[in-house]
Each structure stands twice: as C-alpha cells, then as structure tokens.
Amino acid sequence: IKAGDWLYTPDGKKAKVLSDGLLKVGAHKASIHQMAAYLQHRNVSNGWLYWQIKTKKGFEPIDILRRKK
C-alpha cells in the first residue's frame, strides 16, 4: 500500500492513503485503526481486518498483505 492508494470498507466507503501513512475520509485523518473505529462509531477497531483492497479475487482485508511477507 502506498500514498495515493484507496482502501475500502465492507459497506463501500473509501479512504485515501496519505504520504504519512494516515487515511483520509472527508476532512478526517487518522490511522487505519482510528479511522475504522471512527467510521463504525466504536472506541477501537482492528484496521487490518476492517480495511480492504481490490484484488483479483475481489475485495480482501489488508491483513493479507502482512501474511504474505
């Protein structure tokens, strides 16, 4: 994942990856975990499992990227 990429939520929202690694949705900027919690109206959330990328198989959690290393 690099700056300028888009990440997607299970319900179809999207966030842009910024050069500092934060996500931006509207005017709100936060880490993958903080943004996931914010969008779900929760105190905490696991951003690795919440955020998705487009793959050849469709949408998959970004956690697959950590497991491939």
Side-chain angles (χ1 to χ4, degrees):
I1 299 172
K2 62 187 179 312
D5 287 349
W6 291 96
L7 300 183
Y8 303 87
T9 68
D11 63 353
K13 294 180 182 79
K14 64 182 184 177
K16 190 166 198 172
V17 179
L18 302 176
S19 61
D20 59 6
L22 295 178
L23 300 182
K24 182 175 181 182
V25 174
H28 192 76
K29 297 177 189 176
S31 72
I32 62 170
H33 308 295
Q34 292 167 334
M35 187 65 80
Y38 171 77
L39 292 174
Q40 297 176 87
H41 308 285
R42 297 182 177 177
N43 291 326
V44 295
S45 182
N46 184 336
W48 290 105
L49 300 176
Y50 182 72
W51 291 103
Q52 302 176 354
I53 55 169
K54 286 183 185 179
T55 70
K56 293 177 185 176
K57 297 178 184 178
F59 289 94
E60 296 188 80
I62 61 173
D63 192 53
I64 64 163
L65 301 173
R66 293 194 309 170
R67 289 185 269 146
K68 287 183 178 180
K69 289 189 173 187

